[in-house]
Amino acid sequence: MINCGRAGGWKAAGDARIRILLRLIEERGGVLQMSSRQIGSLLGLGEARVLRLFSSEVGKPLRRHLLEVRMARAAELLKDCVMPIKTIASHCGYTVVTKFYRDFKNVYGISPMQMRLMHMNSQLDGKQSFVLPAAAEAEWLR
């Protein structure tokens, strides 16, 4: 296994087309504005073939890999306590913040706000830490 950094690692892809696709995904932070049919066309493959080839080469479905790369990018952006979560969601390809929250929680098991608070608490380095109540979290999102 070669760990490419962001999204939990993946097998070294033997197929050059899949390596190109992985590079494209990484460069764009997991946000591809094209369908799997368009990706297949770009790579000279049919839609079903590109999905099967990706899964066999990388060890997980294309959709899952894209989600993991987007969420890894979101986790990095959450370290910046200034950028609103709505803006982070937009940078990660989401137009609906609730869908971003749902996907983030499915991947990490906590909400983006909880992740941000964990980063803030760790930055305090032993100083008095705090956790915002749920009402404050809702206000923060506005």
Side-chain angles (χ1 to χ4, degrees), residues 44-133:
L45 300 169
E47 178 181 11
R49 176 72 178 127
V50 76
L51 294 174
R52 279 193 312 272
L53 183 60
F54 187 92
S55 187
S56 71
E57 291 283 323
V58 179
K60 58 185 153 191
L62 174 60
R63 182 176 297 221
R64 181 66 189 185
H65 184 72
L66 289 169
L67 175 65
E68 290 175 359
V69 172
R70 282 195 314 268
M71 293 301 104
R73 181 176 184 208
E76 276 300 310
L77 292 172
L78 284 166
K79 291 179 181 177
D80 173 12
C81 296
V82 177
M83 187 182 297
I85 291 176
K86 185 175 183 178
T87 303
I88 292 172
S90 177
H91 283 307
C92 293
Y94 288 86
T95 55
V96 179
V97 177
T98 55
K99 289 182 180 181
F100 170 72
Y101 257 76
R102 178 201 61 208
D103 287 349
F104 192 92
K105 190 161 188 170
N106 283 340
V107 170
Y108 290 109
I110 59 174
S111 74
M113 179 57 77
Q114 290 169 319
M115 174 79 76
R116 173 168 276 167
L117 291 173
M118 285 174 46
H119 287 301
M120 291 170 66
N121 285 335
S122 69
Q123 288 176 353
L124 291 174
D125 286 334
K127 297 177 185 165
Q128 186 176 7
S129 62
F130 64 95
V131 176
L132 292 175

